[in-house]
């Protein structure tokens, strides 16, 4: 006869009920986890309480309510403001901090947690609230592997693609910022493109087929190409495709045309300055990726 092992779902606390915190708490409730919540503005818990969450009246009560505490506040400063006054409540708990910040903030918080005998994982959510709870949703985690593995089933309730990055508590936010800087760079370029087009009354919709073609056939293949990744690793900037000299001139055309059309192009000037310096140093026939030499930590 098969005996079914009945494991009680882990009780969990969510601190911070902004757009993201509400989505995290909802996912836990949906997964059948007893869920306690706390937020500075208590009214944001109303919908969750209606779905079965317990509302703690203080942060201390919220932490004391569950063995695992998920933090999702606006900043690390806010997190420390709320948690640092607590002493005994934190000891022996597992803290999973999904608040955005910098790698150093995460590393310092891991030291802070260890001093209080708190088991600590840092994480970074690579999704919007509407994607929380889906199997493909990516969330990075860093800290003790044993701790991550012990809680992976619970963390997968928030996003099935729970990616463990190693012992370094700063790694999730380093990866997060790497992906975000790619996002902001490309979105700014996209908006600059439309500033150009607006000077001739060309609508974003009319341009869409060309933007789509360009992204899919030129940009995406070039930055997702394993050979390019290897070339950066090896610092090998040989090219027979498009060299630094050509790209420096391309940047000059954009900057000059922006001036003629009276739209800003300040964001490209530092990039142009690096390319111009490298061309002056004799690297004009190298790939544009040589710019990385001026950006990377030496
Ligand atoms: N939204 C997203 O798409 C997304 C995606 C990835 C990561 N994240 C990260 O998730 C975290 C939360 O984002 P969010 O979108 O939920 O932000 P949000 O909607 O602006 O919520 C901010 C949260 O921080 C709390 N808070 C702010 N200042 C506070 C203070 N001085 N004392 C106590 N609580 C304070 C707010 O409480 P009140 O309700 O009382 O103001 C609220 O719970 C951020 O670190 C964000 O970068 C968000």
């Amino acid at each position: 006869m098969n005996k079914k092992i009945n494991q009680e779902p882990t009780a969990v606390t969510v601190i911070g009920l902004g757009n993201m915190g509400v989505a995290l708490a909802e996912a836990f409730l949906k997964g059948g986890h007893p869920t306690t919540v706390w937020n500075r503005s208590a009214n944001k818990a109303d919908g969750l309480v209606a779905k079965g969450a317990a509302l703690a009246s203080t942060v201390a009560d919220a932490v004391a309510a569950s063995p695992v505490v998920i933090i999702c506040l606006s900043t690390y400063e806010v997190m420390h403001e709320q948690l640092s006054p607590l002493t005994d409540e934190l000891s022996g708990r597992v803290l999973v901090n999904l608040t955005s910040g910098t790698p150093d903030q995460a590393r310092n918080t891991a030291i802070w947690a260890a001093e209080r005998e708190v088991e600590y994982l840092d994480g970074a959510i690579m999704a919007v609230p509407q994607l929380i709870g889906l199997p493909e949703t990516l969330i990075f985690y860093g800290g003790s592997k044993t701790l991550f593995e012990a809680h992976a089933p619970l963390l997968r309730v928030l996003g099935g693609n729970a990616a463990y990055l190693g012992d370094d508590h700063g790694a999730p936010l380093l990866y997060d910022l790497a992906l975000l800087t790619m996002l902001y760079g490309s979105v700014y370029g996209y908006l600059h493109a439309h500033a150009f087009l607006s000077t001739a009354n060309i609508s974003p919709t009319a341009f869409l087929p060309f933007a789509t073609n360009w992204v899919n056939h030129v940009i995406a293949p070039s930055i997702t190409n394993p050979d390019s990744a290897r070339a950066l690793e090896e610092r090998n900037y040989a090219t027979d495709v498009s060299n630094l000299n050509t790209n420096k001139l391309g940047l000059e055309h954009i900057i000059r045309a922006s001036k003629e059309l009276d739209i800003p192009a300040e964001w490209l000037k530092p990039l142009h300055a690096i390319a111009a310096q490298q061309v002056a140093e004799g690297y004009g026939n190298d790939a544009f990726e040589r710019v990385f030499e001026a950006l990377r930590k030496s």
Side-chain angles (χ1 to χ4, degrees):
M1 198 173 85
N2 278 337
K3 253 194 177 172
K4 205 173 175 184
I5 301 165
N6 257 341
Q7 251 197 341
E8 288 294 317
T10 312
V12 63
T13 285
V14 177
I15 292 181
L17 300 176
N19 293 322
M20 186 53 86
V22 166
L24 301 177
E26 269 177 358
F28 285 130
L29 287 168
K30 208 170 150 196
H33 294 271
T35 305
T36 300
V37 295
W38 178 87
N39 195 51
R40 175 180 61 175
S41 315
N43 63 316
K44 292 202 186 154
D46 291 351
L48 294 165
V49 170
K51 289 176 187 164
L55 174 62
S57 54
T58 65
V59 183
D61 287 349
V63 168
S66 314
V68 179
V69 179
I70 308 284
I71 313 287
C72 189
L73 290 162
S74 51
T75 63
Y76 274 72
E77 285 82 359
V78 166
M79 188 206 84
H80 284 292
E81 207 176 286
Q82 292 301 330
L83 295 191
S84 290
L86 309 187
T87 46
D88 296 347
E89 295 88 348
L90 282 168
S91 171
R93 317 249 162 224
V94 174
L95 216 61
V96 181
N97 186 15
L98 300 177
T99 301
S100 301
T102 70
D104 275 358
Q105 284 183 308
R107 290 172 187 137
N108 291 334
T109 302
I111 295 168
W112 168 92
E115 287 165 357
R116 284 158 184 76
E117 295 181 340
V118 174
E119 295 196 277
Y120 185 71
L121 287 173
D122 205 279
I125 303 171
M126 304 316 302
V128 293
Q130 290 69 19
L131 299 178
I132 293 301
L134 299 181
E136 63 272 25
T137 295
L138 172 64
I139 305 183
F140 293 127
Y141 294 97
S144 144
K145 189 172 188 188
T146 314
L147 184 63
F148 172 75
E149 283 176 349
H151 295 88
L154 177 73
L155 298 174
R156 287 201 186 95
V157 169
L158 303 179
N161 190 358
Y164 174 69
L165 300 175
D167 283 341
D168 178 7
H169 291 89
L173 287 173
L174 196 61
Y175 280 53
D176 171 64
L177 297 177
L179 292 177
L180 284 180
T181 198
M182 284 173 75
L183 174 78
Y184 290 125
S186 45
V187 170
Y188 199 99
Y190 167 77
L191 298 175
H192 191 202
H194 286 299
F196 263 128
L197 296 164
S198 70
T199 64
N201 292 322
I202 297 160
S203 76
T205 312
F207 190 68
L208 190 57
F210 305 107
T212 306
N213 183 286
W214 185 246
V215 169
N216 291 341
H217 296 290
V218 178
I219 298 179
S222 83
I223 58 177
T224 57
N225 180 347
D227 291 339
S228 300
R230 259 191 304 278
L232 282 190
E233 268 163 39
E234 292 164 5
R235 303 170 79 163
N236 171 3
Y237 303 111
T239 184
D240 56 4
V241 180
S242 171
N243 65 28
L244 194 55
N245 197 36
T246 302
N247 284 284
K248 168 189 161 281
L249 292 171
L251 286 165
E252 281 167 11
H253 298 149
I254 297 172
I255 292 166
R256 181 174 165 181
S258 297
K259 197 168 177 209
E260 287 168 4
L261 296 166
D262 199 23
I263 59 171
E266 298 306 313
W267 73 296
L268 286 174
K269 289 186 180 170
L271 180 56
H272 173 258
I274 294 169
Q277 169 78 23
Q278 292 182 335
V279 168
E281 288 167 358
Y283 295 114
N285 288 323
D286 279 4
F288 186 60
E289 282 78 359
R290 173 163 280 283
V291 165
F292 183 47
E293 289 297 311
L295 302 179
R296 60 174 288 144
K297 190 170 173 177
S298 50

